[in-house]
Amino acid sequence: MSLGLDDEHMWRALDEARLAAAAGEVPVGAVVVRSHPERSEGSAVPGHPERSEGSAVGSRVVAVANNRTIRDQDPTAHAELLAIRAAARALGTWRLEGCTLYVTLEPCSMCAGAIVLARLDRVVFGAWDDKAGMAGSVGDLLRHPRLNHRPEVKGGLMEPEAAGLLRAFFAERRGVDPTPSPPLF
């Protein structure tokens, strides 16, 4: 069974989230992909020269990132913002039209604001965030009718995998077993 483009890119975002967790950061990963008509093969993924892009037909990865708030001592170093900044540098423009952001967690208000300002066409995310999510959970900044730009939003893609990474990370921090107990009946 072959993966769809959204699945393929979300797997890459999940890989970035795992890198964040390994570095002691909240496991959130992001990937910015630009749609294009031709296939692009063999170029390096920005920020990761050891990885080959090998993108699917119709898209090219232009940036990857994971959370770095602790490493950088920067409260704005969320995976989404770092990926948006890297994509803007790679493309030579702050307008990321024709691009999709894949992220493992529903964007917060800061990241949602940056997504709107960057004019991303689409946002695809994994786990919903009932405490800070601004793509439908707490609020919906991404699709607010009074804003000048509203990206298409697809939530819940690979939610079990994305939520599982977050649950395991925080359970380990709390010293709790992240695996749910089997039902008694």
Side-chain angles (χ1 to χ4, degrees):
M1 178 178 146
S2 66
L3 295 176
L5 285 178
D6 285 347
D7 294 332
E8 178 183 327
H9 296 307
M10 185 59 77
W11 277 117
R12 181 166 273 163
L14 286 164
D15 287 343
E16 286 297 314
R18 288 183 194 93
L19 291 173
E25 298 279 353
V26 175
V28 178
V31 176
V32 176
V33 175
R34 181 161 198 167
S35 298
H36 63 87
E38 295 103 27
R39 181 179 176 90
S40 171
E41 291 188 43
S43 58
V45 174
H48 297 280
E50 73 283 1
R51 295 188 200 173
S52 174
E53 182 180 317
S55 66
V57 174
S59 66
R60 176 174 66 95
V61 173
V62 293
V64 296
N66 56 66
N67 272 0
R68 295 185 58 99
T69 57
I70 296 168
R71 285 178 281 180
D72 294 353
Q73 291 299 295
D74 178 356
T76 70
H78 288 198
E80 300 97 307
L81 286 181
L82 296 174
I84 288 169
R85 289 174 189 153
R89 281 191 305 273
L91 296 173
T93 181
W94 62 271
R95 287 179 169 265
L96 299 181
E97 295 159 331
C99 293
T100 298
L101 172 71
Y102 294 88
V103 62
T104 58
L105 182 63
E106 180 181 2
C108 69
S109 59
M110 174 180 67
C111 295
I115 289 164
V116 169
L117 293 172
R119 310 291 198 274
L120 284 149
D121 286 355
R122 295 178 69 225
V123 176
V124 179
F125 67 88
W128 295 89
D129 185 351
D130 292 335
K131 294 181 181 178
M134 282 300 186
S137 289
V138 173
D140 199 347
L141 185 60
L142 291 176
R143 293 174 286 204
H144 194 284
R146 296 194 60 193
L147 294 177
N148 64 331
H149 179 76
R150 290 178 296 283
E152 176 188 331
V153 177
K154 179 179 180 180
L157 181 65
M158 297 186 185
E159 183 175 14
E161 293 88 346
L165 283 173
L166 290 158
R167 252 191 317 278
F169 177 82
F170 287 112
E172 182 182 313
R173 292 275 187 272
R174 295 181 190 112
V176 181
D177 182 3
T179 57
S181 302
L184 297 175
F185 301 98

